[in-house]
Amino acid sequence: MLLLKFAIDHFFAAAMFGRAWEPINYLIPIDSFSLFSLPANDRYFVLAMCWIALPFALVGLTATSPRLRDVGLPQWLVVLFFFPVINLLFFAVLGLLPGESAEVVVDDLPSTGAQAAINMPPPSSGTSIEYASSAITRAPDRFWSRFFPEDLGTSRLMAAAVPVPLCVVAVLMTATVFRNYGLGAFVGLPFCCGLITSVLHGYSKPRTFAQCLAASTQSLILSGAACILFAIEGLACLLMASPIMFVFMAVGAALGHAIQSRPKRPAGIPNALWTVLIVLPFLMGFESLNPAPPTVFSVTTSIEVNAAPQAVWRRVVSFPQLAAPTEWLFRMGIAYPIRARIDGVGPGAIRRCEFSTGPFIEPIRVWDEPHLLAFDVTSSPSPMQEWSPYHYIRRTWRTSW
């Protein structure tokens, strides 16, 4: 079905719209999601591709639903089919979880204390077979049970701590290697954090969704604190990103809760964990290979000053130090202007507009005194002073701006 869909999409995009369509377009969604802000031709292209995708989405849903039933997961998880990035992680986990028809190992039966292996062939048509969940529950591996015991507090602490190194390394790679904060960082990473934490928290004993959500929230907070500790991120940016990251973390916690609450709970847990650990970095890497082109906007601002043009010109070219603002927004770290100075006169002169976070470097392009001053911006400072104990934050991705 994937090969058929790619052939149709590739032919339709080239024949009808003169566009290239590559396999990477399936891994990373299209750059623009707002159809009404696109040019008309782009809007029709997106709508046409969505129309072509409808029958294939129906086929995908009809394949996902019985697979959920086979691995013992609730049917409502089929909604993850429509989440970008999350759906690819979801498919990978579903593909590696053992089905209900797999061999079931029964440990420590209450009646005899013996161990037995039961091979259960699929029932014939019309046959109904019921198994007691307590009898077919596979006993947890005793080695891993030492790290994730049945005690609620200890298990939550251990499960919350395990994803922290993964999150720190992923954010560091996003900032320094991939140089692209996209869906992989804001959607895939919190989703994996919630999934891993919930699965590990319920390894030795099934947990409620509230318990899984609490452990996942603790893990996300610990990961953010670790990013601040290692000078990877600042508190202000983490607070701004927290609402959307919490939503997708909760989605991952829901899937992890469903996995750990299955009757054959420990079966397939290593597969689920290794899957997200391997697939997520590849998705983040593919996303960096297909960066969104920058959008150019034209902005016009007009301010009328009741003064002679020559007097205004002197304050436009340069101005002395201003008093520090008292508004709470600037006290929180938002950049504000301090002074401006200029080196030279006429085109080619360099104007430096100094803000609280650093200078704007502005080579003069047009000098028509006192009517028009035009310049380029070749270097700009951070838009705010980060809330961090460190002066330097590892954000080399900003150099690509």
Side-chain angles (χ1 to χ4, degrees):
M1 294 299 295
L2 176 62
L3 294 177
L4 176 62
K5 187 176 189 305
F6 174 71
I8 295 176
D9 291 342
H10 185 79
F11 172 78
F12 190 85
M16 301 299 297
F17 292 92
R19 293 174 176 266
W21 189 264
E22 304 298 336
I24 196 174
N25 294 112
Y26 299 118
L27 295 175
I28 303 301
I30 57 177
D31 300 325
S32 301
F33 292 92
S34 178
L35 298 181
F36 301 101
S37 65
L38 296 174
N41 189 49
D42 293 341
R43 192 180 310 160
Y44 297 144
F45 171 70
V46 173
L47 289 173
M49 299 303 288
C50 290
W51 181 260
I52 294 175
L54 283 178
F56 292 92
L58 180 61
V59 173
L61 290 174
T62 56
T64 304
S65 179
R67 180 57 179 162
L68 287 170
R69 190 183 309 112
D70 180 52
V71 298
L73 294 177
Q75 290 292 304
W76 66 265
L77 290 173
V78 75
V79 299
L80 299 183
F81 182 91
F82 298 100
F83 283 73
V85 177
I86 288 180
N87 54 6
L88 301 178
L89 295 166
F90 177 55
F91 298 152
V93 171
L94 280 187
L96 293 179
L97 284 178
E100 294 294 339
S101 59
E103 181 182 273
V104 180
V105 178
V106 182
D107 290 352
D108 298 333
L109 293 178
S111 58
T112 62
Q115 295 182 353
I118 305 176
N119 293 314
M120 298 180 181
S124 59
S125 178
T127 303
S128 176
I129 301 178
E130 297 181 359
Y131 306 104
S133 60
S134 60
I136 66 172
T137 299
R138 188 175 180 180
D141 182 83
R142 291 178 178 82
F143 175 78
W144 291 107
S145 297
R146 300 174 184 175
F147 299 97
F148 306 100
E150 294 187 5
D151 177 68
L152 178 62
T154 306
S155 176
R156 182 175 61 188
L157 180 61
M158 294 298 298
V162 169
V164 171
L166 166 67
C167 294
V168 171
V169 172
V171 174
L172 183 61
M173 291 181 63
T174 297
T176 60
V177 179
F178 301 138
R179 299 186 178 187
N180 180 38
Y181 275 166
L183 294 176
F186 290 104
V187 176
L189 185 57
F191 173 81
C192 291
C193 180
L195 172 62
I196 294 174
T197 304
S198 298
V199 167
L200 293 178
H201 190 31
Y203 184 83
S204 297
K205 180 181 179 180
R207 311 292 181 180
T208 65
F209 175 69
Q211 292 171 340
C212 292
L213 185 62
S216 300
T217 303
Q218 183 178 351
S219 180
L220 198 62
I221 294 175
L222 290 176
S223 300
C227 289
I228 296 176
L229 178 63
F230 293 104
I232 301 174
E233 269 297 349
L235 180 59
C237 285
L238 292 176
L239 290 177
M240 287 188 289
S242 59
I244 186 173
M245 297 185 76
F246 179 82
V247 170
F248 293 110
M249 179 273 296
V251 175
L255 177 58
H257 168 261
I259 293 175
Q260 60 90 40
S261 62
R262 300 161 67 235
K264 296 191 303 177
R265 190 163 28 88
I269 284 182
N271 292 347
L273 298 181
W274 283 114
T275 299
V276 297
L277 290 176
I278 294 175
V279 174
L280 180 62
F282 277 100
L283 292 178
M284 298 173 68
F286 277 120
E287 190 175 16
S288 67
L289 295 177
N290 189 35
T295 303
V296 179
F297 298 94
S298 177
V299 179
T300 302
T301 302
S302 177
I303 300 177
E304 295 186 7
V305 181
N306 187 18
Q310 193 65 41
V312 175
W313 176 269
R314 290 195 298 268
R315 289 295 181 260
V316 169
V317 172
S318 63
F319 54 86
Q321 184 162 339
L322 305 175
T326 58
E327 291 82 357
W328 68 270
L329 188 64
F330 298 105
R331 291 178 177 269
M332 299 291 285
I334 300 297
Y336 56 88
I338 297 178
R339 68 183 70 85
R341 57 188 178 89
I342 189 167
D343 298 330
V345 177
I350 303 298
R351 182 176 183 267
R352 289 177 172 84
C353 188
E354 299 179 12
F355 273 62
S356 57
T357 56
F360 283 84
I361 307 300
E362 302 165 346
I364 303 301
R365 186 161 44 87
V366 177
W367 183 290
D368 183 14
E369 184 178 354
H371 307 290
L372 177 63
L373 180 71
F375 52 84
D376 298 322
V377 179
T378 59
S379 177
S380 60
S382 300
M384 69 173 298
Q385 182 66 43
E386 266 293 6
W387 300 348
S388 172
Y390 305 99
H391 177 71
Y392 171 74
I393 301 294
R394 292 187 181 91
R395 285 196 188 150
T396 56
W397 61 275
R398 279 185 173 169
T399 59
S400 64
W401 289 13

